[in-house]
Amino acid sequence: MPSSFRRQAAHLRAAYTRETHPLAAPGIARRGVSTPFLGSGLGLDVCTAPQRRLRALLALGLLNHGPASAWPRHVSLADITRYTLVVSPRHDDLVITARAPYNVACWLVGRDKRPQIGLPGLRVETSYEEGWRLRHLPTGATMTLTGDRHGHLQGPAILDSNYIGLWTTDMPLSDEEYAVLNALPLLGTDTETLLAALAVRLCTHAPDSSWDISMWYYDLTDRPERGHAHHRRLSVENGRCALHWDSAPHPEDLCAALTDPVIGLAGATAQATSDGWLLHYNRSSLTAHPIAYRH
């Protein structure tokens, strides 16, 4: 593939994902991997099976929050979306750049003597000056969390650093983590792909500002806000996903992000329903109900 085309594809992807060009480029070009471009998300959904599983679990953690959550409250990752960050998916890594990487790390990874256990099984593998290489023990998939906007990990690697008390890879899964993972519904390949697509589009927007996911927390389009409670429920049963939420993003924006001809999930189609929309992806589906909870 000509390098000029890869550069163009990276710039196009960055226009949708808020990545810098150097951050987006590794998600486009990978030697030995056939990476489709237009009409297939510009590499957002092309990944290894362990990465797909990790991203699906991340979506469940991010999109369950509040009294109706389908996950235990101490596993909710929703507060991550309060921070300014960019999600950069690659074939064998998931890079997150954040203005406050320390805060994000403390939600993603469990810590000693804290009720939150983060994403079950996620551990610090290597620490850097302002970033971490994370490893998900159940799948072996990696994540990179850094304060560098281009996705770099600054400074020398410190293999045994645990200066903020984050759990490291030498700590096995806890009983709580086993309980959460064992309680998960069966997730087939299509369902994992659909859930992963939600996770990697956390910060996407249209270059012409016609839609904006806005990190699921703030509306950035000058339209009326949908609510302030930020309650979310993402449940799965037999390949059928159901998503309820009462704040940003606007429902039509989420549908657009998943079906956009450039950045959408290839093969996903959506149709309006009486109280939201229904998206189909191969043998899986997502029913979206953008409603306000009353508790």
Side-chain angles (χ1 to χ4, degrees), residues 80 85-86 93-109 122 124 126-128 130-134 142-148 151-154 164 166:
I80 291 173
L85 51 84
V86 171
D93 194 12
L94 183 64
V95 180
I96 297 177
T97 68
R99 290 185 181 176
Y102 167 85
N103 300 53
V104 175
C106 291
W107 284 106
L108 279 173
V109 183
L122 192 62
V124 171
T126 311
S127 297
Y128 295 81
E130 195 179 60
W132 298 267
R133 179 80 70 195
L134 308 177
T142 63
M143 291 180 64
T144 299
L145 174 61
T146 176
D148 181 81
H152 302 305
L153 289 166
Q154 304 290 346
I164 58 174
L166 298 175

Side-chain angles (χ1 to χ4, degrees), residues 66-122:
S69 172
W71 266 35
R73 189 164 298 185
H74 64 294
V75 189
S76 175
L77 308 176
D79 281 317
I80 291 173
T81 61
R82 294 175 181 264
Y83 302 101
T84 300
L85 51 84
V86 171
V87 179
S88 180
R90 302 176 183 180
H91 183 259
D92 55 0
D93 194 12
L94 183 64
V95 180
I96 297 177
T97 68
R99 290 185 181 176
Y102 167 85
N103 300 53
V104 175
C106 291
W107 284 106
L108 279 173
V109 183
R111 289 190 290 168
D112 296 333
K113 301 179 181 179
R114 298 286 180 175
Q116 294 285 349
I117 65 173
L119 185 67
L122 192 62

Side-chain angles (χ1 to χ4, degrees), residues 17-286:
T17 60
R18 294 188 169 90
E19 297 167 283
T20 64
H21 177 267
L23 183 61
I28 293 291
R30 184 178 185 274
R31 184 177 299 174
V33 174
S34 176
T35 306
F37 293 97
L38 292 179
S40 58
L42 291 169
L44 267 65
D45 306 300
V46 180
C47 64
T48 63
Q51 268 295 317
R52 183 181 65 232
R53 176 71 174 183
L54 171 64
R55 297 172 191 183
L57 296 178
L58 182 62
L60 288 169
L62 290 169
L63 301 181
N64 275 296
H65 183 63
S69 172
W71 266 35
R73 189 164 298 185
H74 64 294
V75 189
S76 175
L77 308 176
D79 281 317
I80 291 173
T81 61
R82 294 175 181 264
Y83 302 101
T84 300
L85 51 84
V86 171
V87 179
S88 180
R90 302 176 183 180
H91 183 259
D92 55 0
D93 194 12
L94 183 64
V95 180
I96 297 177
T97 68
R99 290 185 181 176
Y102 167 85
N103 300 53
V104 175
C106 291
W107 284 106
L108 279 173
V109 183
R111 289 190 290 168
D112 296 333
K113 301 179 181 179
R114 298 286 180 175
Q116 294 285 349
I117 65 173
L119 185 67
L122 192 62
R123 300 288 190 269
V124 171
E125 183 173 78
T126 311
S127 297
Y128 295 81
E129 286 181 3
E130 195 179 60
W132 298 267
R133 179 80 70 195
L134 308 177
R135 178 77 62 177
H136 189 239
L137 297 183
T139 62
T142 63
M143 291 180 64
T144 299
L145 174 61
T146 176
D148 181 81
R149 61 194 296 263
H150 300 315
H152 302 305
L153 289 166
Q154 304 290 346
I158 308 171
L159 297 178
D160 59 351
S161 174
N162 192 22
Y163 62 93
I164 58 174
L166 298 175
W167 292 343
T168 56
T169 51
D170 58 359
M171 178 178 176
L173 265 68
S174 66
D175 292 341
E176 286 182 295
E177 290 175 308
Y178 272 119
V180 172
L181 293 173
N182 290 337
L184 287 173
L186 180 65
L187 301 178
T189 298
D190 291 339
T191 305
E192 284 188 354
T193 300
L194 184 52
L195 294 176
L198 289 170
V200 301
R201 286 166 177 79
L202 187 68
C203 313
T204 53
H205 71 141
D208 63 1
S209 300
S210 58
W211 57 265
D212 196 325
I213 300 302
S214 304
M215 293 173 290
W216 281 85
Y217 207 83
Y218 303 102
D219 188 282
L220 303 177
T221 59
D222 295 325
R223 288 175 292 177
E225 292 192 9
R226 299 191 60 247
H228 299 280
H230 304 289
H231 293 155
R232 307 165 190 166
R233 176 182 174 84
L234 175 59
S235 58
V236 183
E237 184 177 0
N238 297 324
R240 295 188 295 272
C241 309
L243 175 61
H244 301 72
W245 76 102
D246 64 357
S247 53
H250 285 259
E252 61 270 21
D253 291 10
L254 182 59
C255 183
L258 291 168
T259 60
D260 185 271
V262 174
I263 206 72
L265 174 63
T269 59
Q271 62 190 70
T273 65
S274 60
D275 59 349
W277 47 266
L278 174 64
L279 183 142
H280 290 279
Y281 175 72
N282 294 340
R283 298 183 180 181
S284 185
S285 64
L286 172 66

